[in-house]
């Protein structure tokens, strides 16, 4: 298992797919990294030499924010939104959807499991 950016990427997978295991690198970025490092994206990671893995790591370190620093940056951005009290910050603080989705139904991922509230029972009128 080669180690790139502090992550053990799977050796059995093809190069571009293995690079997507690094937080902050998707399909497009992985293909761009392979192209810049002059490595065939269809080769398996275990077939790459130490020099080629070093080139991949150098490209990632030079051009991309990944893993811990990316997670830290995202958390700082959310904390800034909360501190200034903007709408998005308030939605983050309350644990509700941030990007305008409806909440009357759905939104269970953000709101968590349903908390059922008992409704009023109908009062029977005596005649």
């Amino acid at each position: 298992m080669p180690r790139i950016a502090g992550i053990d990427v799977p050796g059995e997978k093809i190069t571009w797919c293995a690079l997507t295991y690094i937080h902050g690198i998707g399909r497009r970025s992985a293909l761009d990294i392979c192209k810049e490092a002059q490595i065939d994206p269809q080769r398996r990671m275990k077939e790459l030499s130490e020099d080629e893995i070093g080139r991949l790591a150098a490209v990632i370190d030079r051009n991309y924010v990944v893993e811990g620093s990316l997670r830290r940056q995202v958390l700082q951005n959310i904390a800034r939104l909360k501190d200034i009290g903007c709408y998005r910050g308030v939605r983050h603080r309350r644990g509700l959807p941030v990007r305008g989705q409806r909440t009357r139904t759905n939104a269970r991922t953000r709101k968590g499991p349903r908390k059922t509230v008992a409704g009023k029972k109908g009062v029977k009128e005596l005649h």
Side-chain angles (χ1 to χ4, degrees):
M1 282 185 126
R3 193 162 179 83
I4 301 176
I7 297 296
D8 289 329
V9 292
E12 296 296 320
K13 298 217 176 261
I14 57 177
T15 304
W16 75 265
C17 188
L19 288 176
T20 62
Y21 279 66
I22 301 170
H23 181 74
I25 296 178
R27 294 177 191 166
R28 179 63 192 220
S29 303
L31 290 169
D32 290 345
I33 290 166
C34 290
K35 188 175 184 179
E36 191 173 337
Q38 298 170 347
I39 294 171
D40 178 23
Q42 295 300 320
R43 284 176 60 196
R44 305 263 170 203
M45 282 298 288
K46 64 182 179 183
E47 297 170 4
L48 299 180
S49 67
E50 289 297 321
D51 177 51
E52 291 170 322
I53 292 172
R55 284 196 316 231
L56 284 174
V59 169
I60 291 170
D61 288 342
R62 186 171 58 245
N63 299 333
Y64 294 89
V65 180
V66 292
E67 281 303 320
S69 57
L70 177 61
R71 293 178 203 271
R72 195 174 318 106
Q73 191 175 10
V74 169
L75 287 174
Q76 286 173 344
N77 290 341
I78 292 171
R80 179 180 51 82
L81 292 173
K82 289 179 182 179
D83 290 343
I84 63 177
C86 68
Y87 181 79
R88 285 171 56 204
V90 170
R91 302 298 281 185
H92 274 291
R93 201 177 299 140
R94 291 184 179 176
L96 293 169
V98 177
R99 297 184 178 180
Q101 297 92 330
R102 68 180 296 131
T103 56
R104 183 169 179 173
T105 60
N106 303 331
R108 293 274 49 116
T109 302
R110 286 291 292 180
K111 292 168 78 174
R114 287 187 172 84
K115 302 171 211 75
T116 307
V117 178
K120 288 185 178 179
K121 291 186 179 178
V123 179
K124 291 184 180 179
E125 292 183 24
L126 297 172
H127 287 59

